[in-house]
Amino acid sequence: MDISNKEVLILIDSSGGNTYKLAESIKAGVVNKGLHAVIKKVPNKVDPQNDLNKIPIATADELVKYRGIAFGAPIYFGNISTNMMDFMAQTLDIWKKQELSNVPATVFMSGCSGSGSETAIISFWNILASHGMTIVTLGNPSLPDINKAIPQGNTPYGVTTRSCMPGDVRPSKDELKYAYFQGQKLASAINSTKIQQDPLAAPAKKEITTSKVEERLNKLGIVLPITPKPVGNYVPYKIVGNLVYINQVALNNGKILYPGMIESTVTEKQAKLATQQTILNILSVLKVAANGNLDNVKQVVQLSGTFNTQPNYTNHAGLMNEASNLLVSIFGDKGIHTRATFGANSLPLNSPVEIQAIFEINS
């Protein structure tokens, strides 16, 4: 079966929207690894009026069309939801033919504190194991800047959200980080899995493709952020010929990192961290523009940095070095570029920095 161009399915049961929010981060993690993904839902027989109308409804027989599947559902008494259970009951014919055998799958769920999140995920695994699917876990990733002052739904089996804690907004930003990482793990499993339907057939030769840029990012301990979404009538990047044009500010999880004017409300150290965040946002967008593979970048051409500064400020170049040095560390000689640096007394969203970058990519 040729699955090279097929999508990853994120199949959910969600009425209140918490599972859907996790699904969006799962999808972003999958897309970050260069795969296509689609979110669909199971029919809601319990409360159809409260369902998320914008999400298309999946059918059981279409599961065999996808490269991998992430299943998400609310937790019902330490088990999966009624809607999801009814849907999986319709996969009997698929189970008989073992048409999902070896297909990578992962599970994420939402529920209250004490609702049995780990038990619920394992109960879902029983169904997936019967189908012969390859189960992808969350594990125990060391993600940066996790708030340990509040409970997070990062079980080793899969991400969950404690969605009914009084006065708490869920999923938390950290639970969304774990969901993004879980989506990346699913995509990585898909990329390294060859689906072989005939158990007697000779094993196919394993093709190993390693991204040199991704290796450098891993060595540097860098995890690219979720690709920022436009907030106006524009696109995150524009390709003209082989050149990619990208503009970004210091957004971090939807908020500006260290907003304000440098050496007024923002220290130089904070401004340097904001500059690093801005260039990582640019790289996240660049990866999408380069078809999910930063090895497709031929060279960094130009950086133009604008900083929110007072009129007598002069260390713009020192701040911009954070972006230049990071690109050279990641791309090597390909990262050497021309540069312009400016000062301004205000920037969009009160960001301390805005950077425009131009890259050349393979056609």
Side-chain angles (χ1 to χ4, degrees), residues 237-247 279 282-287 289-290 294 296-303 327 331 334-335 337 355-362:
Y237 65 89
K238 190 77 172 180
I239 299 177
V240 180
N242 289 346
L243 297 180
V244 184
Y245 295 80
I246 303 172
N247 276 64
I279 205 67
I282 286 174
L283 290 176
S284 178
V285 175
L286 176 63
K287 184 170 183 176
L294 288 172
N296 288 329
V297 177
K298 293 182 71 173
Q299 62 174 325
V300 185
V301 179
Q302 165 82 20
L303 290 186
L327 288 181
F331 291 103
K334 294 179 182 179
H337 51 273
I355 297 176
Q356 180 192 71
I358 304 173
F359 301 87
E360 183 184 9
I361 60 174
N362 294 319

Side-chain angles (χ1 to χ4, degrees), residues 118 121 125 136-141 153-159 182 185:
E118 294 183 347
I121 292 177
W125 281 3
V136 179
T137 68
L138 175 61
N140 187 28
N154 55 316
T155 80
Y157 309 121
V159 68
Q182 190 170 342
K185 284 199 70 176

Side-chain angles (χ1 to χ4, degrees), residues 26-45:
I26 293 275
K27 178 180 178 180
V30 171
V31 171
N32 177 262
K33 291 296 184 179
L35 302 181
H36 298 285
V38 59
I39 300 175
K40 291 191 176 184
K41 65 186 177 185
V42 302
N44 192 329
K45 298 179 180 180

Side-chain angles (χ1 to χ4, degrees), residues 41-215:
K41 65 186 177 185
V42 302
N44 192 329
K45 298 179 180 180
V46 177
D47 190 7
Q49 299 302 317
N50 195 30
D51 211 358
L52 297 171
N53 295 325
K54 60 183 176 180
I55 311 173
I57 297 176
T59 59
D61 58 359
E62 75 177 80
L63 297 188
V64 299
K65 300 177 181 179
Y66 297 96
R67 300 185 63 180
I69 306 174
F71 296 89
I75 300 169
Y76 283 16
F77 304 107
N79 211 322
I80 65 177
S81 68
T82 303
N83 291 323
M84 185 63 75
M85 183 64 79
D86 288 346
F87 182 90
M88 297 306 296
Q90 299 173 39
T91 63
L92 182 60
D93 288 339
I94 296 174
W95 168 75
K96 289 178 180 177
K97 299 174 185 177
Q98 287 292 283
E99 292 179 290
L100 294 177
S101 180
N102 298 326
V103 174
T106 197
V107 178
F108 59 100
M109 306 193 80
S110 61
C112 297
S113 176
S115 60
S117 56
E118 294 183 347
T119 302
I121 292 177
I122 293 173
S123 70
F124 211 143
W125 281 3
N126 292 332
I127 300 173
L128 306 185
S130 296
H131 278 287
M133 303 184 79
T134 300
I135 296 173
V136 179
T137 68
L138 175 61
N140 187 28
S142 298
L143 302 184
D145 302 323
I146 295 298
N147 182 3
K148 297 181 180 180
I150 64 171
Q152 306 288 354
N154 55 316
T155 80
Y157 309 121
V159 68
T160 66
T161 181
R162 296 165 171 252
S163 57
C164 63
M165 295 182 70
D168 201 1
V169 177
R170 296 286 173 151
S172 70
K173 66 176 184 178
D174 294 327
E175 289 168 344
L176 294 176
K177 281 185 185 178
Y178 284 115
Y180 181 80
F181 180 82
Q182 190 170 342
Q184 288 184 312
K185 284 199 70 176
L186 175 62
S188 296
I190 292 168
N191 284 329
S192 61
T193 299
K194 294 289 185 182
I195 305 301
Q196 185 176 304
Q197 295 296 332
D198 183 0
L200 299 180
K205 259 187 183 179
K206 188 175 181 181
E207 298 178 3
I208 300 176
T209 56
T210 304
S211 167
K212 293 179 180 179
V213 175
E214 293 288 348
E215 283 184 351

